Amino acid sequence: MTRILCLALLLFAPLVGAEAPRAPATPPHQGGVASANAYATDAGLEILAKGGNAFDAAVAVSATLGLVEPESSGLGGGGFLLLHVAKDGRDVFVDARERAPLASARDMFLDAAGNADRKKSTEGALAAGIPGTPAALEHLAVRYGKLPLSESLAPAIRLAREGWKFGPKNAAMLGFRRDAIAATPAAAALFLRDGQVPAQGTLMRNEDYARTLERIAREGADGFYRGDYARRLVAGVRKAGGIWTESDLAEYRVVERAPLRFKHRGFEIVTAPPPSSGGVALATILNVLEPYGYEKMDKVPRTHLVVEAMRRAYRDRAVYLGDPDFAQVPVPLLTSRDYAAGLRAGISAERATPSDMLPGVTAAASRPDTTHFSIIDAEGNLAAVTQTVNLPYGNSLVVPGTGFLLNNEMDDFSVKPGVPNAFGLVGDDANAIAPGKRPLSSMTPTFLIGKDRVAVLGTPGGSRIVTMVLLGLFELMDGGGAQAAADAPRFHHQYLPDQLSAEPEAFTAEEAAQLKARGHDVQIGDRSWGNMQVVMWHRDTGKVEAGTDPRWKGVGKGSSSDAASIYR
Ligand code: DON
């Protein structure tokens, strides 16, 4: 009997993991771009109209965001790119995450008494990992695009010279980092006016950025990672107290990884594998929730179960997750239904489980920045890209003559077991610093594939990225559109601190009281979070819709454009 069973399993095994049929009933009638800044969305639409595909448009959007949203991402940072290549039906995850410099060491952010020095891991040269975004631009263009970089980078180069208007989000984020930026002359020259945050509407130009992009357009990524330019970058970082070497830059490569994919409620979810924690946590949470039939439950009992699932997934993040090229990350186990059943067995339907009752990492939360954009083209190519310099305006360091900020992604490592990072996240050995290692990330670019709808989504928000994507997926699976997913109110639990945090609109007073009665430490904040960007293709009609997060009023832009049909 067992043998027959084994044979049956073997025979049917290929079917179990088989992809849902992806051939579109009706190809997208239009392209769609949603990004956190209207200049960047327009750059993407321009490239689609010129005959570029979604990947060329992604180059344009990425490079433009680096200019007009310098608080969130740029050439000095990194990111994850989830791509669907329509012509061969392939999904690929491009890991352009920063790497720890080769001279980095596990305890580099501990002082003599062994205490974590948060300033060192977030401000200045030591905080910077080796950037991945310039390599990602070349990779996108050469492997997947149709246009040369000189064309896809042209809108960003033009805008850097003609100038762009400083907006409310640039100003709000700069407010938090003004002192650090003011202390760095090259950064102050780029982003401050008379030492102050520029007035909204101020015309900003960045000739150095235009020249850096022209160099990448001419020489590809080598123009950045090798030769004179690399020497200048390394010298600038070392002068500021950093440890980069030319080998760090010359050795940097993006890594293509298989995306994580799983099924839920008749949908296929394609999402980020490690070194993102996002996909694993999404799979754990949804597997835990599946048998409850949560989608039909009332809001309070449903929220309670969702929070209990979040708590457990974030505990696992803290204990097990890190760069898979360095740490043994048990992905198949953590994403299996059997494992979820074990977690579910410990959940009470009535009472919150205190986080300190879950075996894990002990410890004790954020002013974040990062950016996400979603693109679809009329060939059915999809791009979900989350890119970052980590905290607003990264490490506030600009190497003179380059035109961009460096990141402070080193703070995404666990600088000491159990000591929370800027997002209150704790970690252990799996995410300890090592030379050449990628810090664990929460960035979760994701595709939701249903029978008649395909959605591309993601958001910034540090540790809350995963739970925001989760809530966006709920909205989409419940039948909501792209805008509804971006609008949906947000709540979050990350194991430690043991708090159920929520946006002001997420719960009524009555709902909050009922959740407190179940033992949740409900913390309703006075601010909203995230910046979700969603595009959706209706496979039955070919219609494309785009949704942009309303929380930064009028700064982002989601647009489906007939311009894209010009080349069809
Ligand atoms: O990779 C990560 O998880 C973080 N560096 C992302 C930071 C972030 O989203 C800040 N955003 N609002």
Side-chain angles (χ1 to χ4, degrees), residues 13 46-47 51 72 106 121 141 144 282 354 369 386 401 466 494-495 522:
E46 177 182 327
I47 291 301
S72 297
R106 186 183 171 104
S121 64
Y144 299 105
L282 282 180
D369 228 54
T386 314
V466 186
Q494 63 179 49
Y495 165 57
V522 182

Side-chain angles (χ1 to χ4, degrees), residues 125-146:
L126 272 184
I130 307 303
T133 293
L137 296 178
E138 184 196 66
H139 195 80
L140 267 177
V142 171
R143 283 280 174 98
Y144 299 105
K146 291 178 170 177

Side-chain angles (χ1 to χ4, degrees), residues 113-163:
N115 296 319
D117 183 344
R118 183 90 304 125
K119 198 165 157 61
K120 269 197 191 163
S121 64
T122 57
E123 267 176 38
L126 272 184
I130 307 303
T133 293
L137 296 178
E138 184 196 66
H139 195 80
L140 267 177
V142 171
R143 283 280 174 98
Y144 299 105
K146 291 178 170 177
L147 302 180
L149 280 168
S150 56
E151 278 188 58
S152 48
L153 291 176
I157 294 170
R158 192 182 63 226
L159 200 59
R161 295 221 162 91
E162 287 177 359

